Amino acid sequence: MELLTTIKSNAKKQDKCIVLPEGTEERTLKAADEIIKEGIARIILLGNPDEIHQQSSKYNLKHLTGATVIDPRDHEKKDFYGDMLYDLRKHKGLSRDEAQKLVEDPLYLATLLIKNGEADGEVAGAANATGNVLRPAFQVVKTLPGISVVSGAFIMILPDKQWGEDGILVFADCAVHPDPNAEELAQIAVMTAQTTRAIVDIEPRVAMLSFSTKGSAQHPLCEKVTKATELAREMMPDIQIDGELQADAAIVKAIGQSKAPGSSIAGEANVLVFPGLESGNIGYKLVQRLAGAQAVGPVLQGMAAPINDLSRGCSVDDIVNLVAITVNQAAGK
Ligand code: ACO
């Protein structure tokens, strides 16, 4: 079955609730209607109820009656969430008044609903920049135990099936952490291996990418990748991982065998971990455009509960797909 169909069908078997803080945004409302109709998730929409109802009638979105609507400016638990945010952030200098004001921001309220167990995950970003979606998530939901850095993976679905696992590769970090050190890069590798198992349902073969293969170049940037590979092995001993590897040695069998003889994954990698955000972000976009790959994500990993960020150019289908992925993440938590 096609990967996204499988992900949606797995989501339908769960009973998860996803909060959509951009509840008055047209594509978000159309996606919510589809999600409820298909039974992919229960939905909480944040926004002015009158505006949501008006839009719903305008676009004839009949299934939105099944969504829970919360007005961030006026709801019965507003003080409760203000106090909660104050308790979480007072050590950073947040005052009670500032906290009461911040919970009117749907992006903050969404993370507090998750923290309080009222929602299992969040999808936002159709109308907000990445930083605005991520900052409340980092501050309120925070990272998984043992993980200090959130990163973003893309599931790359290539038309040419010779690459990765029948044309599927997972790339990271392509979205979040600009300049990881070796420890952080190891965490990114481990989280990407787990995302690959949980969402793509394949056994990860992780290549830690560099401009050097097995000491062909000597540079602190290559040493960082080698160290990260060792640390990732310690963190997740059952992981198939190798590095440092150049991209061709990672994915082309003949080159892997000649540049990294004896490596268990060289030439056969299905997970590519980039040494920094510059190469990761540039790399996924080049593969998307030049190879005609479908890039699904970013799937954010390392957060204590799944929160995913859309591109502002997203389509209704992109939102539906990312909600289904978020449900799968919540189920595998
Ligand atoms: N993982 C976990 N926590 C983090 C991370 C991270 N990667 N980065 C920051 N934090 C935490 C900090 O520890 C801090 O927590 P605290 O307040 O409890 O101490 C909080 O988040 C705020 O930290 P800042 O350093 O102030 O972070 P800032 O808000 O400046 O930046 C951000 C965070 C927005 C994610 C920044 O790293 C960024 O802009 N990254 C690039 C995002 C981007 O533009 N990606 C490319 C586009 S996406 C695409 O193309 C698909």
Side-chain angles (χ1 to χ4, degrees):
M1 211 190 315
E2 203 243 325
L3 180 63
L4 285 168
T5 312
T6 309
I7 288 171
K8 279 194 230 171
S9 121
N10 286 342
K12 289 178 197 174
K13 294 178 200 145
Q14 316 299 328
D15 179 29
K16 298 295 176 191
C17 178
I18 302 300
V19 55
L20 303 176
E22 294 159 331
T24 53
E25 198 276 330
E26 180 183 334
R27 290 160 299 171
T28 302
L29 285 170
K30 288 179 175 169
D33 188 68
E34 175 76 17
I35 291 160
I36 296 166
K37 181 173 136 205
E38 294 290 324
I40 291 170
R42 287 180 285 119
I43 291 293
I44 299 176
L45 291 169
L46 303 185
N48 180 283
D50 291 340
E51 211 177 315
I52 292 173
H53 291 139
Q54 269 169 20
Q55 297 248 51
S56 167
S57 311
K58 182 174 167 193
Y59 300 117
N60 198 23
L61 304 174
K62 296 196 176 70
H63 303 276
L64 280 189
T65 48
T68 301
V69 175
I70 301 176
D71 184 350
R73 286 166 181 259
D74 180 19
H75 63 107
E76 57 187 12
K77 289 174 87 176
K78 196 169 165 227
D79 289 347
F80 167 81
Y81 282 118
D83 289 345
M84 194 174 154
L85 183 59
Y86 171 66
D87 282 341
L88 283 167
R89 299 298 294 173
K90 62 185 172 200
H91 70 288
K92 291 277 174 181
L94 188 76
S95 71
R96 203 176 279 277
D97 283 352
E98 286 167 336
Q100 284 298 344
K101 193 79 201 140
L102 266 186
V103 290
E104 292 187 5
D105 178 343
L107 294 169
Y108 271 90
L109 180 59
T111 61
L112 289 157
L113 289 169
I114 294 171
K115 187 83 176 170
N116 198 41
E118 294 182 54
D120 300 295
E122 171 192 342
V123 172
N128 283 281
T130 298
N132 294 342
V133 175
L134 293 189
R135 224 165 278 119
F138 291 162
Q139 292 174 0
V140 173
V141 174
K142 301 191 193 290
T143 49
L144 283 166
I147 297 292
S148 63
V149 61
V150 170
S151 55
F154 273 92
I155 302 163
M156 305 297 293
I157 306 173
L158 287 101
D160 187 340
K161 303 292 174 210
Q162 70 168 301
W163 305 114
E165 195 83 16
D166 206 18
I168 296 177
L169 290 112
V170 181
F171 288 11
D173 171 21
C174 306
V176 185
H177 196 56
D179 189 16
N181 61 28
E183 288 74 20
E184 292 169 338
L185 195 57
Q187 291 179 24
I188 292 169
V190 165
M191 291 315 305
T192 312
Q194 289 186 357
T195 297
T196 304
R197 279 187 183 151
I199 308 295
V200 191
D201 199 19
I202 56 175
E203 193 46 34
R205 296 186 299 276
V206 183
M208 302 292 281
L209 297 185
S210 176
F211 57 83
S212 162
T213 299
K214 299 286 179 184
S216 64
Q218 306 289 323
H219 192 279
L221 287 173
C222 314
E223 285 157 23
K224 175 183 93 168
V225 176
T226 313
K227 185 168 175 216
T229 309
E230 286 163 15
L231 292 171
R233 279 198 189 104
E234 284 168 22
M235 287 175 74
M236 196 177 176
D238 71 336
I239 196 176
Q240 293 185 72
I241 184 168
D242 207 0
E244 84 296 358
L245 294 169
Q246 287 161 286
D248 55 356
I251 59 170
V252 182
K253 201 164 188 168
I255 300 178
Q257 282 169 350
S258 82
K259 286 188 174 182
S263 167
S264 58
I265 64 106
E268 300 193 56
N270 54 21
V271 175
L272 303 184
V273 174
F274 293 82
L277 181 56
E278 277 182 312
S279 54
N281 189 268
I282 293 166
Y284 104 81
K285 284 180 191 286
L286 286 179
V287 173
Q288 182 184 29
R289 298 294 163 185
L290 300 181
Q294 188 182 357
V296 180
V299 180
L300 296 187
Q301 38 186 29
M303 210 102 69
I307 294 179
N308 282 308
D309 173 44
L310 294 155
S311 151
R312 273 172 289 173
C314 67
S315 65
V316 172
D317 281 348
D318 292 334
I319 303 176
V320 174
N321 290 339
L322 203 54
V323 167
I325 286 173
T326 309
V327 169
N328 277 261
Q329 285 179 290
K333 189 156 59 102

